[in-house]
Amino acid sequence: GRSYASLILLGVAFSCKLQTVFVLPLWGALVLLRRVPLRALLCFPAAYAATCVPALLLGKPWKDILSVYLGQMGEYDRLTLNAPSVYQFLPAHAAYDPAFLSQMGIIAAMILAFAMLFIGAWKGKKLDNQMAMVVAMVLVVGIPFLLPHMHERYFYLADVLAVCWAVSNWRRIPAAVLVCGSSLASYSVYLRLKYNYILYISGDYLVMFWEAAAMAAALVFCIVHLVILCVKKGETT
């Protein structure tokens, strides 16, 4: 209910981390539903620009400031960097085309984002705060799960929202346990420089199968809950 403040904070968050874009489609749905005024979207770039001012005053060129994230996008070539994503289901020595899988992952993440936009537009006024939270959960879990080149820390937003979701309704605790447990195990891999449990199958191995499986289960949990909510909202019409 605080459109301008939320978009200002989103702009500040974006200045700290690119992964803020994972949840942006939710605001797109809210704009389509006119719950957020279209002019409020200007707060996002305005807040981001304001956070760039200190670096600009200290002599950093505008071009360098605004191109930071563009440079990061092509920085890594591995499909996953200890993130509990779908790419952890690929055996270590399997033959596959990383470029093709990367493109497929990007397309899948885009389809998921547009699907959430469609649900928001489809449900209209029935997109209450409860359903909006589920849409946000699907986005922050699903998009980094499908995108290539993700780090383990890119699920941090999912960790926070999963806890908030569980606090608002104790029946959502399984999602928080799965998401936060998967993230904690992934952070452990980075901090200890050692995989928690390597799964050997037919002479090959999967280094983070269980972490990815937990995150996949969390995504399924969120999607199923969203479908149930959509059905219930449809029955009330």
Side-chain angles (χ1 to χ4, degrees):
R2 300 176 64 182
S3 305
Y4 293 91
S6 69
L7 282 158
I8 289 172
L9 292 174
L10 274 175
V12 174
F14 182 73
S15 72
C16 297
K17 206 67 180 171
L18 175 62
Q19 285 67 42
T20 304
V21 299
F22 295 162
V23 78
L24 280 183
L26 175 58
W27 269 259
L30 295 174
V31 169
L32 290 175
L33 296 174
R34 298 182 180 179
R35 286 184 57 180
V36 171
L38 185 61
R39 61 181 179 274
L41 293 180
L42 294 174
C43 293
F44 181 86
Y48 175 71
T51 63
C52 295
V53 171
L56 183 66
L57 293 176
L58 289 172
K60 194 174 183 68
W62 267 114
K63 183 179 179 180
D64 292 347
I65 296 173
L66 299 178
S67 63
V68 169
Y69 289 152
L70 293 176
Q72 289 180 0
M73 290 179 182
E75 190 174 356
Y76 305 104
D77 56 359
R78 291 168 53 191
L79 286 174
T80 177
L81 296 99
N82 294 330
S85 66
V86 65
Y87 306 99
Q88 296 290 3
F89 296 129
L90 296 171
H93 296 128
Y96 52 83
D97 184 352
F100 174 76
L101 291 178
S102 178
Q103 291 176 355
M104 291 299 100
I106 292 171
I107 291 172
M110 290 177 61
I111 291 174
L112 179 67
F114 280 113
M116 295 303 101
L117 276 172
F118 171 78
I119 288 176
W122 171 45
K123 282 304 174 182
K125 295 181 179 179
K126 292 185 177 62
L127 184 74
D128 55 13
N129 291 341
Q130 183 183 13
M131 187 177 288
M133 187 66 178
V134 186
V135 169
M137 281 297 302
V138 173
L139 289 170
V140 297
V141 175
I143 291 181
F145 183 77
L146 296 171
L147 282 179
H149 319 308
M150 297 287 102
H151 289 267
E152 67 288 317
R153 61 184 179 273
Y154 290 176
F155 284 94
Y156 182 72
L157 184 56
D159 297 339
V160 175
L161 287 185
V163 172
C164 294
W165 199 32
V167 168
S168 66
N169 190 326
W170 65 270
R171 291 187 177 89
R172 317 307 171 219
I173 288 178
V177 172
L178 288 168
V179 171
C180 296
S182 176
S183 287
L184 181 60
S186 301
Y187 300 150
S188 175
V189 170
Y190 175 79
L191 294 172
R192 295 168 57 235
L193 299 179
K194 180 180 179 181
Y195 292 111
N196 297 307
Y197 183 85
I198 299 176
L199 181 64
Y200 291 92
I201 302 177
S202 302
D204 211 334
Y205 57 90
L206 302 170
V207 295
M208 291 182 64
F209 174 85
W210 297 111
E211 292 88 346
M215 197 63 74
L219 178 58
V220 171
F221 182 93
C222 296
I223 292 175
V224 169
H225 186 70
L226 179 59
V227 171
I228 292 173
L229 273 182
C230 287
V231 172
K232 287 183 177 180
K233 298 293 183 182
E235 291 175 350
T236 60
T237 58

